[in-house]
Amino acid sequence: MTKADSATARRGSAKRKPLARSSTPSTTCAAPEVPYGVPGVTKASADKLMRLGITRGFDLVLHLPLRYDDETRIYPISDAPSAQDVLVQGRVVEADVKYRPRRQLVCHIEDGSGVLTLRFFNFYPSQVKQLAPGTLVRAFGEIRQGFFGPEMVHPRCKSAAEGSAVAKALTPVYPTTAGLGQDALRRVVTHALAHCDLADTLPESITAGLGLPRFRAAIVFLHNPPPGVSQEDLRERVHPAWRRVKFDELLAQQLSMRVHYRRRKAADAPALRPKRKLTRRLLELLPFALTAAQLKALSEVERDLRQPHPMQRLLQGDVGSGKTIVAALAALQAVENGGQVAIMAPTEILAEQHYRKFSAWLTELGITVTWLAGGLRKADKQHAVAAMASGATQIGVGTHALFQEEVKFQKLVLAIIDEQHRFGVHQRLALRLKGTRANTVVQPHQLMMSATPIPRTLAMSYYADLDVSVIDELPPGRTPVATRLVSDARRQEVIHRVRDACMSGSQAYWVCPLIEESETLQLKTALETYESARAAFPELKIGLVHGRLKAEEKAAVMAAFQRGDIHLLVATTVIEVGVDVPNATLMIIEHAERMGLSQLHQLRGRVGRGASASTCILLFQNPLTPTARERLKIIYEHHDGFEVARHDLRLRGPGEMLGARQSGLPMLRFADLNADLDLLEAARVVAEQLLRDDPDAAQAHLARWLGGKHELLKV
Ligand code: ADP
Ligand code: MG
């Protein structure tokens, strides 16, 4: 996919709110009784524009060309460059409808330098008349060498008056949709450019300081570039006019994120002073000392919790870096202040594991930890709900069941969300509201954890509304996981490996292929793998875990694996996140070529958690697609989660990587986080500066770029 194609795709699929005229800010165009405030837009074309994601006049201004046709000069037929569209002019020598080899209109034109054949396979009878011999015509298209000399197939063709002027600017070609022709689109865009307010939202000192043109100049340039500009610079979007648009877009994103950040910082939350009694006791009970990175993250969390404003902190750390204990210590700080804590994980297996860990760590300190998940029996669930509502329990652990309506906390002061990228903005909001009691606006603090490291550019852009702590160090004594790529043809060797590992006292995972189209099929493969493993390893104890098992069955299998009662665990990707069994040293992943980078990295992170050397075997099936090959190469070469994530961002783009978070965020259409890092950094600085010194400009900029979408970011 070229950049231009993906731009169309992105625009085409972008979800937009329908045109809301009442709330359109001052930057929209005049004359609200006309669709889009732009004369020339009919009702019919308005519907089609909507399909392009264009919902207000200003969106037309920002509907930028995919590419350009150069009709600014006329080439001699004999001397026109090949492999590009060119404009030629000549007199018609003859024009005839031919029937062999297929029906077509064939026209020869002549310009003194040579003769050119024009061929039309679709044509109106009237076209034949328009091409009467002697007529002067201009044809635009690519010249190819045909059997009878140079020819143009389906040129854009118009009759021309002798000596009439050529286009003064390159002709824009816009992303469009069925039924909306380029001419119609050009007309409405031209209207929009004439009617919309293109005044700059930024002072000259800022744009000049960054070497960027003024907004109007940049926009006018991009819609109608003068002859002679480098099409290459336009295509690659490195021309200063493009850079200005990208900068403005990034600035809008930064402003929006910072506005929400500030708004949240202004809200009230319980200030939790660290008392350190319980935390010190827990630290004494632990069989290990915290790493320097864990201590640093913890002190950042402690500092936030002490503030009377809600914390919104993302705790990032590679798989196995030890985020859970940091969360537990934060929870203690909340409990010491008489508050309750909710801990939420995206899967039942992971939530269950947190429940066990937190119970093991905290019940000794006299703290009650309660489990709440969808699969609980009714009586148990009621009991758990009552314990949270009465304050009898200090810590509630569970899945999204914690979001449910009937779950109320007596005094929720901290919400801990593991693998935050799995949750949508709306779910997090629901949990936040649980802390809101009648007549108060006190919000709980939020600590989010993610083992899918967020590349720096994403953290700086889409996550700029959060504070981020990074655990950038693994606990000591870990040996890196050796990664092996093994073709499916060598499965027998893998089977030997599994037996050897398990017989020598280790444990192993065997992860079944991901089958996205069908959960039933996935289940079937899991069962088959389980059966063939049992046949291949009669001497081993083998367990099976998959998404269809009941919660307590899943929990029982996981507990047995944890205790070492199971040697080999056959699993679907349900074990992808968070599972922690240090004695497991071998991970087999079937059909690794089907899995995404972050998933592979997560799965690999399930081993290498203890002191002994671990191996991750990626079984793959030939032939590999180029992307699959590249993914396997990356996971083979890189062990650092941040590096893997950086490549993931490059391969998939931010949209998919952001997952659930994306649904609440306006996506970047023009800026490219990989290519435009300098603009992103500049936008960060300018956003702070504007919010401090020139809030009106900040407001105008946000209104221009985000319109009503700004509100979506409130969470
Ligand atoms: P993750 O960051 O992937 O959630 P966990 O919190 O599950 O990682 O920690 C991985 C393992 O490392 C756990 O068994 C945990 O008890 C252990 N661990 C955490 N911190 C340390 C440390 N400082 N030293 C040794 N082991 C640690
Ligand atoms: Mg974890």
Side-chain angles (χ1 to χ4, degrees), residues 18 77 82 139 152 166 173 194 241 279 397 420 426 539 567 622 671 673 687 697:
I77 289 171
S82 58
M152 247 186 213
V166 289
V173 179
T279 40
V397 186
Q420 63 85 29
H426 303 289
E539 65 279 45
H567 296 112
N622 279 313
L673 291 180

Side-chain angles (χ1 to χ4, degrees), residues 318-320 322-324 350 353-354 357 418-419 449 451 577-580 602 606 609:
D318 209 343
V319 282
K323 294 181 289 291
T324 321
L350 187 53
Q353 180 179 285
H354 282 329
K357 272 201 177 166
D418 199 9
E419 306 299 339
M449 299 193 273
V577 286
V579 174
D580 182 36
Q602 285 283 334
R606 297 308 114 219
R609 303 190 142 236

Side-chain angles (χ1 to χ4, degrees), residues 19 34 106 177 182 360 448 497 598 620 671 694 702:
L19 180 62
V34 203
V106 179
T177 180
Q182 288 295 330
M448 289 156 269
R497 275 243 27 186
S598 87
F620 66 89
D694 198 348
L702 274 173

